[in-house]
Amino acid sequence: MSSRRMRTIAGSLLTASFSAVMIFSFSAGADEGPMSDEGGKVIDEAPADVKLTTLLPEKISVDNSSQKTAITATVKNGGSKDSGEIRLLVVGFEGLTVKGVEGCSEIAKKDLPEGSNSGFACAIDNLAAGKSKSYDVDATFDLKKKGRICLPVQDAEGTKTFWQQGPVPFGANNPSPNAPATPLLLGTDNSPVTPGSDELPRTGPVRDVLPLGAAGAALLTAGAAGLWWTRQRSQS
C-alpha cells in the first residue's frame, strides 16, 4: 500500500473519530427539554411587582439498576422588581428521595413537612426581575412506588410561602424493569410494577390503610392547603 493511500486512510479515520467525539459531546450536553410549572399555585402574596414561580422538567429518566435520576429545579422571578432574600425548598415524597441539591443545605428530619422523606433548602440572596436560577437535583426513584416532588418558594425566614409547585408526581404508566432506564413524565402517577393492584405500594402507616383513590385525594388536599408546616413553625 502506498504511503499516500495510508495517509489518506489515516486522515479519514481521524476525521471520523473527531466527528464521533463532537456528536457525543453535543448529546451529553443536550438540553433536558421543556420545563413546566404544572401543579404550581400562589399561596401568600409576594412583595409588590415580584412574581415568583418554579419549573420542573416535563420528562426525566430513572436508571433501573441504581434507581438514580437527575432533576433540574428552577425558580423564576417574572415580576418587574427584585425579590430580595428568598429560599427555594426541594422536597421528596414516597418513592422519590432527594439525595442532594447543588449549593443547598439538607433539611433536618424533624423540620420536614409531614409525609415527606427528604428535603433541601436553597438560600437565594436576591433574584433580579426577569431572572431565574436553576439547581441540579440528585435523587433516587423507587419504581415500585409512586413518587412526588414539591418546590415551595418562601421568604428568608420561612414564614411565608409565595409559591408552591406540588407535591406533583413523576411517573410512567408502563414501567419496564428489564430496560436500562425508565422515562417518567411530570404530572403522571407512577403505576406499580406489579399489575392488577388496586392499592398503592406500602410506604408507611398511612399507606397501609388508604386505598389508591383516597391516598391521592389526601395528597391533593394537603397540597391545596399550601402552608404546610411553615405556619405551624411560625406560630410555635
Side-chain angles (χ1 to χ4, degrees):
M1 183 181 294
S2 68
S3 60
R4 175 180 294 180
R5 185 172 182 183
M6 289 182 66
R7 286 197 300 272
T8 301
I9 293 173
S12 299
L13 288 173
L14 180 60
T15 301
S17 176
F18 179 75
S19 300
V21 170
M22 289 296 289
I23 292 171
F24 177 78
S25 299
F26 176 79
S27 299
D31 186 74
E32 275 191 301
M35 304 284 282
S36 172
D37 64 356
E38 180 171 349
K41 51 198 168 288
V42 173
I43 306 301
D44 294 312
E45 186 176 353
D49 299 318
V50 174
K51 183 180 179 182
L52 298 168
T53 57
T54 56
L55 298 169
L56 287 165
E58 292 184 357
K59 182 179 178 180
I60 62 173
S61 182
V62 177
D63 185 294
N64 284 344
S65 58
S66 66
Q67 297 187 337
K68 291 182 179 180
T69 187
I71 303 170
T72 299
T74 299
V75 57
K76 179 180 179 180
N77 179 7
S80 58
K81 288 188 177 180
D82 293 0
S83 70
E85 291 187 32
I86 57 173
R87 67 177 188 173
L88 169 71
L89 305 185
V90 182
V91 185
F93 290 80
E94 302 165 293
L96 193 157
T97 303
V98 180
K99 295 294 186 179
V101 182
E102 184 180 15
C104 304
S105 303
E106 186 172 8
I107 300 173
K109 293 291 184 184
K110 63 182 179 63
D111 294 327
L112 287 172
E114 184 178 356
S116 68
N117 56 43
S118 54
F120 283 75
C122 309
I124 301 172
D125 291 335
N126 182 59
L127 192 59
K131 299 296 183 180
S132 62
K133 185 174 179 62
S134 295
Y135 292 89
D136 294 330
V137 180
D138 291 325
T140 58
F141 197 112
D142 185 347
L143 293 171
K144 296 178 181 177
K145 304 175 183 177
K146 297 210 171 192
R148 301 173 194 259
I149 190 170
C150 197
L151 304 181
V153 183
Q154 303 178 329
D155 61 1
E157 293 76 26
T159 57
K160 290 185 178 181
T161 299
F162 301 128
W163 170 267
Q164 180 175 303
Q165 185 175 9
V168 62
F170 276 105
N173 291 325
N174 298 300
S176 303
N178 296 325
T182 297
L184 301 181
L185 299 178
L186 183 68
T188 301
D189 281 325
N190 191 52
S191 298
V193 175
T194 52
S197 173
D198 60 354
E199 188 175 9
L200 281 175
R202 300 178 182 273
T203 59
V206 175
R207 291 294 178 193
D208 289 345
V209 296
L210 284 182
L212 176 58
L219 257 180
L220 289 174
T221 301
L227 300 185
W228 272 359
W229 81 108
T230 55
R231 286 190 173 172
Q232 296 176 1
R233 284 163 55 80
S234 65
Q235 294 170 3
S236 61

